Amino acid sequence: STPRWRLEGTFGARPRRIGGRLYTPVELVQELRAFVNFYFEERFRRTERQAPLVELVFDDLDRGLHWAVGWIWTTWARWMPRSICLL
């Protein structure tokens, strides 16, 4: 069956300016949803072609935190600077 995953967070109640554009919290959720859908569709296409896979990276620019999500052996892992956390 398809793996289940959950992404939690908040975008606050006020619009935010990102890259010169003003986004409402609802628009940010829609953009994130579209990005995650693209990521899984692109991984599927590349897996079928046996092409190099794309990497899923999250950046918390406010706190200077960054995560890259990927496979380690057969276990999902989350990488953070100076540490690896198995989920």
Side-chain angles (χ1 to χ4, degrees), residues 1 13 18 23 26 28 37 62:
S1 69
I18 301 171
Y23 291 90
V26 171
L28 288 171
N37 282 334
D62 293 329

Side-chain angles (χ1 to χ4, degrees), residues 69-86:
V69 180
W71 287 100
I72 293 181
W73 300 291
T74 59
T75 305
W76 272 101
R78 176 178 59 206
W79 177 86
M80 291 190 281
R82 296 182 296 282
S83 67
I84 293 180
C85 306
L86 298 179

Side-chain angles (χ1 to χ4, degrees), residues 21-86:
R21 180 173 173 215
L22 193 63
Y23 291 90
T24 67
V26 171
E27 289 173 318
L28 288 171
V29 170
Q30 292 168 340
E31 290 288 327
L32 179 59
R33 181 176 290 144
F35 171 75
V36 171
N37 282 334
F38 164 80
Y39 168 77
F40 284 110
E41 289 169 2
E42 185 63 19
R43 276 189 70 94
F44 178 77
R45 283 191 290 272
R46 289 180 182 220
T47 299
E48 284 189 323
R49 295 190 324 254
Q50 295 183 342
L53 299 178
V54 292
E55 183 178 56
L56 182 59
V57 177
F58 295 99
D59 298 304
D60 181 340
L61 301 176
D62 293 329
R63 289 185 264 167
L65 299 173
H66 311 281
W67 300 269
V69 180
W71 287 100
I72 293 181
W73 300 291
T74 59
T75 305
W76 272 101
R78 176 178 59 206
W79 177 86
M80 291 190 281
R82 296 182 296 282
S83 67
I84 293 180
C85 306
L86 298 179

